[in-house]
Amino acid sequence: MALTVGTEVEIEIHDVAFGGRGVGRHDGCAVFVPGTLAGERVRVRLTKCRKKFAEALLLEVLTASEHRIEPACALCDRCPGCSYQHVAYPEEVRIKQQQFEGLLSRIGRLEGVTFSEPIASPCDLGYRNKLVLHAQRERKLGYFGEDNRTVVDIPSCLLAVGPINDELQKLRANVKTLKNMRPNARVTFRWTETNGAVRWTDRESGVERLIENSPIGDVRVPRRAFYQVNVGAGDLLVSYISELIKQQAPTYLIDFYCGVGLFSLAAAQHGVPHVFGIERQSFAVRAAIQNAKAMKIRPEFVSADVDALAEDSLKQVDGSETMVIVDPPRQGLEKAFLETLISARPQCVAYVSCAADTLARDLRVLTESAYEVVNCQLIDMFPRTPHFESVTVLKSRAEIGKAES
């Protein structure tokens, strides 16, 4: 029987898919329902119907999961940012770990891989050091809704640190400033322990450089540069990578997509003789160089297209003594970059990823010929949202063969 938009049905949820929507079945068709958990029986209204799946709106929870909680945010049914406001945090971490393992198995075709226990965020609310909100007519200021056009007005965001919400309240109280704000303007709020809360629009100057307190010391971060939005979990990630570098003790370390240089700086602090950081954004590289000078260490940093420089940089080192760190954007690694890694075969690759689906795709390529995955570690950088961070450690098969012989 064909499913029809507007039909109300009762289904049982048997899983939570990557992205946070519960999955049930009706008449042999998969039905995706936001705000639900495995084991729940729910009443839903179908909102989109395709040949093999449907999407639905949750109307009523008939049988609730033991892990269901009352959402902390009253806007969670309208604001698309959070997928897990309705679930106890330990269960959210368990769900994400299950999704992580499933993606690497299904897309990456990896079997027998070692997964470490997931690392939860120290805080599941009040952790974000950055918000980017959008202005719209009628003095709306908030996130885009599901249609990616309409702004959901946000009086405050429970994911943000307190000082950012205080700064947001000050702005919202300034009726004149809001009224004069250009439609579709982006307002960025940023907080560090040193600088406090600051804000700017996409056409303003203001503070150009911030100071972040990291496990390896204070680092300069240009306001346009990438830095982890979760200070507590970000520190855990840096500490994890630092310990991995100590264990590997490479002669050469190449840090691709190095940003302001955190991993490179950690490697140099641990005495790695030759450390190279490569990053496309020149302003981030300038900050990385200044960070190294302030710490009195001497890693080398280059502003260049990562893909264009990958082959040349790996040709200049002995692969058997080289560790590579890659921390690409959500799109993952380019095909040419993957081919370069396979050809050069550095002894160890640490793949830091914020998108487990593209990670799984890339791992499939790397493990088909040159590498084996030795460990996968989830770090929940983005509680209450569908996203999470991970670090996957790969070793070249040649190095594994040497160790076993």
Side-chain angles (χ1 to χ4, degrees):
M1 181 176 110
L3 301 182
T4 306
V5 170
T7 301
E8 295 184 9
V9 297
E10 291 184 13
I11 59 173
E12 184 167 339
I13 304 299
H14 59 78
D15 197 6
V16 179
F18 182 56
R21 297 182 298 175
V23 186
R25 299 196 74 81
H26 182 72
D27 283 346
C29 182
V31 181
F32 295 91
V33 190
T36 58
L37 292 167
E40 293 189 325
R41 187 156 188 84
V42 296
R43 186 167 62 87
V44 303
R45 179 184 298 121
L46 302 180
T47 57
K48 184 182 292 185
C49 297
R50 296 291 184 266
K51 187 174 182 180
K52 294 184 178 180
F53 74 93
E55 297 177 9
L57 174 71
L58 175 65
L59 299 177
E60 182 182 3
V61 178
L62 303 172
T63 304
S65 164
E66 62 180 327
H67 302 294
R68 177 173 286 277
I69 62 172
E70 190 68 26
C73 180
L75 298 174
C76 68
D77 59 339
R78 282 171 282 165
C79 175
C82 291
S83 298
Y84 294 109
Q85 285 277 349
H86 61 291
V87 55
Y89 184 54
E91 177 65 5
E92 176 187 340
V93 175
R94 188 199 68 78
I95 290 170
K96 288 179 174 179
Q97 179 71 15
Q98 184 179 51
Q99 293 168 354
F100 185 35
E101 295 180 15
L103 285 166
L104 265 58
S105 174
R106 188 172 65 257
I107 299 175
R109 296 188 179 177
L110 299 176
E111 297 181 358
V113 173
T114 299
F115 288 87
S116 296
E117 284 295 311
I119 297 175
S121 170
C123 301
D124 64 307
L125 294 172
Y127 64 84
R128 284 192 67 98
N129 62 17
K130 180 179 181 180
L131 291 184
V132 180
L133 302 182
H134 303 269
Q136 205 166 64
R137 299 185 189 281
E138 301 173 350
R139 296 198 289 275
K140 283 185 177 181
L141 188 63
Y143 300 123
F144 282 130
E146 292 287 356
D147 62 3
N148 208 32
R149 294 191 307 273
T150 306
V151 168
V152 178
D153 199 40
I154 304 292
S156 65
C157 179
L158 295 183
L159 299 187
V161 297
I164 282 182
N165 278 316
D166 293 340
E167 188 66 21
L168 174 57
Q169 293 306 313
K170 291 178 187 177
L171 175 59
R172 295 182 69 88
N174 192 328
V175 176
K176 182 178 179 181
T177 299
L178 277 183
K179 185 177 180 180
N180 293 333
M181 196 169 288
R182 179 177 56 86
N184 302 317
R186 286 163 31 115
V187 185
T188 300
F189 296 82
R190 187 78 162 79
W191 174 86
T192 76
E193 189 174 332
T194 299
N195 301 96
V198 295
R199 63 175 167 86
W200 62 86
T201 66
D202 44 7
R203 291 187 177 180
E204 291 178 339
S205 53
V207 61
E208 286 296 331
R209 186 161 293 171
L210 305 165
I211 302 295
E212 288 282 2
N213 309 123
S214 80
I216 61 171
D218 290 351
V219 293
R220 295 166 177 80
V221 182
R223 73 178 194 182
R224 292 180 294 162
F226 171 80
Y227 198 85
Q228 293 290 357
V229 299
N230 185 331
V231 175
D235 287 352
L236 293 174
L237 172 63
V238 174
S239 297
Y240 182 88
I241 293 292
S242 296
E243 186 59 32
L244 187 60
I245 293 169
K246 285 170 62 177
Q247 292 172 5
Q248 297 301 316
T251 301
Y252 304 94
L253 183 136
I254 305 179
D255 181 8
F256 293 102
Y257 308 93
C258 71
V260 297
L262 280 179
F263 300 149
S264 297
L265 297 169
Q269 285 182 346
H270 290 314
V272 177
H274 306 283
V275 179
F276 307 93
I278 304 172
E279 166 63 46
R280 179 179 60 83
Q281 296 178 322
S282 58
F283 52 84
V285 170
R286 287 194 293 271
I289 293 170
Q290 291 176 341
N291 289 328
K293 287 180 179 178
M295 295 177 182
K296 296 180 169 56
I297 51 180
R298 304 188 62 164
E300 295 182 34
F301 293 101
V302 178
S303 175
D305 181 87
V306 173
D307 297 318
L309 201 59
E311 185 174 1
D312 285 343
S313 59
L314 283 166
K315 278 182 178 178
Q316 297 177 37
V317 298
D318 182 346
S320 66
E321 299 179 4
T322 301
M323 177 178 178
V324 164
I325 299 174
V326 294
D327 188 2
R330 290 191 184 279
Q331 304 94 290
L333 298 174
E334 295 291 334
K335 181 180 178 182
F337 192 105
L338 291 167
E339 290 173 350
T340 296
L341 281 180
I342 291 169
S343 176
R345 302 200 183 190
Q347 64 152 336
C348 178
V349 176
Y351 191 144
V352 183
S353 172
C354 60
D357 50 352
T358 56
L359 166 70
R361 177 203 67 199
D362 293 346
L363 292 180
R364 179 177 173 181
V365 175
L366 292 171
T367 56
E368 280 179 343
S369 57
Y371 290 93
E372 288 187 19
V373 172
V374 296
N375 190 68
C376 300
Q377 176 68 68
L378 183 150
I379 301 174
D380 190 22
M381 195 73 66
F382 315 102
R384 300 316 188 190
T385 80
H387 310 294
F388 51 85
E389 199 88 0
S390 66
V391 182
T392 301
V393 181
L394 303 98
K395 291 284 188 72
S396 75
R397 293 208 174 105
E399 290 303 310
I400 292 174
K402 286 180 185 178
E404 292 176 347
S405 61

